[in-house]
Amino acid sequence: VDDLDALRRIERELERQGYLRRQRGKLELTPKAVRRLGETALRRVFASLDAGRRGDHDQVDAGSAGELTGSSRPWRFGDEQPIDVVRTVVNGVRRGGAAGTVTLSVDDFEVAETERRTAAAVCLLVDLSYSMALRGTWAAAKQTAMALQALVASKFPQDSVQIVGFSNYARVLQPDELAGLEWDMVQGTNLHHALLIAGRHLDRHPDFEPVVLVVTDGEPTAHLRRNGSAAFEWPPTRETLDLTLAEVDKMTRRRATLNVFMLADDERLKDFVNEVARRNGGRVFSSNADRLGEYVVSDFLRTRRKR
């Protein structure tokens, strides 16, 4: 009884602080809670980076979307540059004269111009198949997805990130889904479908630098048929492998490098990812679940610095 009372008090406090809300009689995480969980996941990843290789990553709280140039311009809808407070207030004073309180209008706002930086179209493809739960790697994969989402949103807001989960089918995962996401109780690793979705995301951003990261613990065992249904077979058929590798070739023609993070070491998976690396020129990481977040975030930061 005491424990239940304590849980109710915690529940009321989380609702009061805006982390929980009731929808149709059920408790749900608010966007504020999802952001907090992503930031926590990112801090844990950076903590492991600090412990392992000091100086190997950019500070998460340093810099902005670009160095300030010293000039400003009128604010336009969608601008992400910082507001130039002094010039904004001066505009309000000039417009309203010296008569008492200054009232600002939209036309008064100016933003501080920053140096131009390249933007990236980021695709993180995460295996949701049941084997991820059996091997105990699912929690690390979900935390990694949340950390990458938080990193891009906070440090690279100009980037466009898409997270795709795949099992027998693939689907786009929204940021507010990640915290409560579970693995799929189905058979099938449909990387073919995941690459198709990622390719559409890259095609919508032709001027962005393409970044594709794949987290999986198994070779492809499913593909998407022309009628939209999924074909599953284990061991995988030649058709499944050929269709998946055809999408890898399309990524190569888009100039998108695929970096694959393996969470298992069976020979079939090794043979497949080595073929992906040969065709695409990307890198292969063999990581245990404890260091997955460190590997993925480090590789993404390395790619952004190189760009």
Side-chain angles (χ1 to χ4, degrees):
V1 171
D2 291 341
D3 289 342
L4 287 173
D5 287 340
L7 285 173
R8 291 192 184 100
R9 288 196 300 272
I10 293 171
E11 179 185 306
R12 287 194 296 269
E13 183 62 20
L14 289 173
E15 285 188 85
R16 187 187 70 79
Q17 294 189 28
Y19 291 111
L20 290 178
R21 64 185 174 196
R22 290 193 175 275
Q23 294 276 37
R24 297 180 294 275
K26 294 174 59 179
L27 282 175
E28 294 183 353
L29 293 170
T30 64
K32 178 182 178 181
V34 172
R35 286 194 301 272
R36 181 67 178 269
L37 287 170
E39 291 165 0
T40 301
L42 187 59
R43 281 199 302 272
R44 288 177 179 171
V45 168
F46 276 129
S48 64
L49 282 170
D50 282 334
R53 296 186 302 279
R54 185 171 297 276
D56 191 43
H57 66 280
D58 296 335
Q59 290 293 329
V60 71
D61 56 352
S64 60
E67 296 298 327
L68 295 173
T69 64
S71 60
S72 66
R73 60 171 174 77
W75 174 86
R76 294 192 297 266
F77 179 77
D79 280 340
E80 296 175 342
Q81 288 88 344
I83 297 294
D84 190 321
V85 178
V86 173
R87 295 185 184 181
T88 298
V89 173
V90 168
N91 290 339
V93 172
R94 287 173 177 169
R95 181 180 51 80
T101 304
V102 176
T103 302
L104 297 177
S105 72
V106 173
D107 294 334
D108 294 328
F109 282 85
E110 293 197 18
V111 295
E113 288 193 326
T114 57
E115 294 177 350
R116 179 177 176 81
R117 281 191 176 180
T118 59
V122 186
C123 298
L124 175 63
L125 313 184
V126 182
D127 194 340
L128 304 182
S129 61
Y130 188 48
S131 61
M132 294 282 285
L134 292 177
R135 289 190 168 107
T137 57
W138 165 240
K142 181 165 75 169
Q143 183 179 4
T144 299
M146 295 177 66
L148 183 64
Q149 180 75 43
L151 175 63
V152 173
S154 61
K155 188 165 184 179
F156 303 101
Q158 72 273 25
D159 289 358
S160 177
V161 61
Q162 183 182 75
I163 297 178
V164 178
F166 62 96
S167 52
N168 58 339
Y169 289 94
R171 65 184 188 275
V172 177
L173 304 175
Q174 301 304 321
D176 56 358
E177 286 184 78
L178 293 175
L181 189 66
E182 295 295 338
W183 62 86
D184 293 339
M185 293 284 290
V186 293
Q187 291 180 311
T189 303
N190 199 337
L191 182 57
H192 169 242
H193 192 192
L195 290 170
L196 279 169
I197 293 175
R200 296 184 195 123
H201 178 67
L202 299 184
D203 291 342
R204 286 193 294 269
H205 302 86
D207 297 328
F208 286 34
E209 294 292 344
V211 179
V212 182
L213 311 169
V214 181
V215 176
T216 184
D217 70 342
E219 62 187 325
T221 56
H223 67 267
L224 204 63
R225 296 190 181 100
R226 290 183 179 274
N227 62 5
S229 63
F232 166 75
E233 192 77 36
W234 191 90
T237 63
R238 189 69 252 172
E239 184 181 13
T240 294
L241 295 175
D242 287 345
L243 286 172
T244 305
L245 290 172
E247 290 305 314
V248 171
D249 293 339
K250 290 180 184 178
M251 287 294 182
T252 305
R253 291 194 290 271
R254 293 183 178 101
R255 299 179 297 106
T257 301
L258 274 76
N259 289 339
V260 183
F261 300 84
M262 296 193 309
L263 296 178
D265 58 358
D266 59 86
E267 292 303 318
R268 287 180 178 271
L269 177 58
K270 288 180 181 178
D271 291 342
F272 173 76
V273 298
N274 286 335
E275 178 63 16
V276 170
R278 187 188 69 80
R279 288 168 175 255
N280 178 265
R283 299 193 296 168
V284 176
F285 298 83
S286 181
S287 170
N288 59 41
D290 293 338
R291 301 192 66 185
L292 175 64
E294 175 186 344
Y295 275 54
V296 171
V297 170
S298 293
D299 187 66
F300 173 71
L301 288 174
R302 181 196 64 83
T303 302
R304 296 299 284 120
R305 283 196 294 268
K306 183 177 69 174
R307 300 300 184 193

